Amino acid sequence: MRKNDLVEKIVHGIFLALGLLTVVCVLVITFYLVISGLPAIKEIGLTKFLFGQKWVSTGKNPSFGILPFILTSVYGTAGAIILGVPVGFFTALYLAKFAPRKVKRVVGSLVNLLAGIPSVVYGLMGMLILVPSIRKVFDVPDGASLLAAIIVLSVMILPSIVKVSVTALEAVPQEYELGSLALGASAVETCFRVTVPAAKSGIAASVVLGVGRAIGEAMAVIMVSGNAANMPSLFESVRFLTTAVASEMAYSSGLQREALFSIALVLFLFILLINTLLNLFFKPQKDKK
C-alpha cells in the first residue's frame, strides 16, 4: 500500500511539473513578445500602428499600419469557421451516430490522414488547383486572394473539428439516448435535442481548436493569398498577420524588425482574446442556488 502511494505521489509530481512547465513557457513567450514588441509601438504610435492602412516597411519614408492585416485575419478566420464548422460538425455527427462501421473506419482514417498532411502541401495544392480555378470561374486577374485562403483554411481546420467532436459525441452516455427514444423521439430528434446538447462542451473545444489553427496558419496562406498588403477584398491579394511576420522577418532590421515583433504581439493578444470569448460563450451555465 505504501509502495502504491509512493508511485502515485511520484506520478502526481511529474504531471504537476509538466503542467507548471507549460505555464512557464506561455509566460516566457508573453514576456518576450511584450519586451520586443512595445518599443516599435511606442515609436510609431499605437493609433498609427493599429489603424494605419498603409504598410511600406522598406520604403524611403516607411509606414507601419497593420489595419489591413488585422481585418484580413478576422475575415479569413471568420470565413473559414463559417465554411468549416458546419461541414466538420455534420461529418462528426454522421460518423458518431449514423455511419456503418466500415464507412466510419474508412472516413476516420481519411480524416486522420488529412490531419497529418503538412501545411505546405495544402498551400501547394491550393496554388496549383484552387487559385487557377478561382481565376477562371470568377474571371478575375489573379486567383490568389482572400477567397482562396478562406477555402484552404476551412479544409485545414476540418480534422480538428471532426476528431474532437466525434470523441465528444461518443462520450455521451447511451442512457440519455435510450430514454429519449423510449419517449417516442426519432433518432434524428434524439441526436439534435439530447446528444448534441450533452456534448456541447466538447464540440465547443473543437471550434476553439479550429479557430486557433486558422488564425495561426502561415505557410499555406502565404502561398494562396497573394501576400500583398491590401485592404481585405474577396478577390484581391491580401496579407495576414502571420504571413506579414513570416515574409519579412528573414531580412528585417531596425524599426522594421521591431514592428514585426509588434505584429506578433498583436497576433498573440488577438488569439488570447478570441479563445477567451469563445470559452465564455460556450461555458456551461451553472444553476444559481
Side-chain angles (χ1 to χ4, degrees), residues 119-120 153 156 212-222 240 242-243:
S119 58
V120 66
L153 288 176
M156 294 182 69
R213 178 72 186 273
I215 295 176
E217 181 55 44
M219 182 56 66
V221 170
I222 203 173
F240 288 67
T242 52
T243 58

Side-chain angles (χ1 to χ4, degrees), residues 28-282:
V28 170
I29 293 173
T30 304
F31 180 77
Y32 183 79
L33 288 177
V34 170
I35 295 300
S36 302
L38 286 181
I41 295 178
K42 290 181 179 179
E43 184 172 347
I44 298 169
L46 181 61
T47 303
K48 290 183 179 179
F49 183 70
L50 293 179
F51 300 103
Q53 299 184 17
K54 190 176 181 181
W55 175 272
V56 184
S57 59
T58 57
K60 184 177 181 181
N61 297 315
S63 178
F64 299 96
I66 66 168
L67 182 61
F69 306 156
I70 295 176
L71 294 179
T72 299
S73 296
V74 172
Y75 294 163
T77 302
I81 294 302
I82 291 173
L83 292 180
V85 168
V87 175
F89 168 72
F90 286 111
T91 301
L93 189 61
Y94 172 73
L95 292 178
K97 298 301 176 181
F98 298 104
R101 185 171 299 179
K102 292 182 178 180
V103 175
K104 181 178 179 180
R105 188 184 303 114
V106 173
V107 176
S109 300
L110 293 177
V111 171
N112 292 330
L113 179 62
L114 199 63
I117 297 176
S119 58
V120 66
V121 176
Y122 283 104
L124 182 62
M125 293 296 99
M127 188 172 60
L128 296 178
I129 300 174
L130 181 61
V131 170
S133 300
I134 292 177
R135 184 172 61 247
K136 293 179 181 179
V137 171
F138 295 99
D139 193 21
V140 292
D142 188 7
S145 58
L146 178 60
L147 177 60
I150 288 175
I151 295 175
V152 170
L153 288 176
S154 65
V155 174
M156 294 182 69
I157 68 175
L158 284 178
S160 300
I161 296 174
V162 173
K163 293 174 66 176
V164 177
S165 296
V166 167
T167 302
L169 291 168
E170 290 180 341
V172 176
Q174 192 176 10
E175 290 79 6
Y176 292 3
E177 300 173 352
L178 294 178
S180 176
L181 293 173
L183 292 174
S186 65
V188 175
E189 289 176 334
T190 299
C191 281
F192 284 100
R193 295 187 179 183
V194 176
T195 308
V196 171
K200 179 181 177 181
S201 60
I203 297 172
S206 72
V207 175
V208 172
L209 289 175
V211 170
R213 178 72 186 273
I215 295 176
E217 181 55 44
M219 182 56 66
V221 170
I222 203 173
M223 298 175 70
V224 300
S225 65
N227 199 31
N230 299 321
M231 291 295 288
S233 180
L234 198 60
F235 297 107
E236 290 187 6
S237 298
V238 292
R239 181 180 294 182
F240 288 67
L241 287 168
T242 52
T243 58
V245 177
S247 59
E248 297 189 16
M249 184 60 74
Y251 60 84
S252 62
S253 61
L255 182 59
Q256 178 190 11
R257 187 176 183 85
E258 293 178 351
L260 294 178
F261 277 107
S262 299
I263 293 177
L265 176 61
V266 171
L267 178 63
F268 182 71
L269 296 176
F270 186 53
I271 294 174
L272 288 180
L273 176 62
I274 289 182
N275 286 341
T276 301
L277 292 177
L278 288 174
N279 286 326
L280 290 176
F281 179 76
F282 290 113

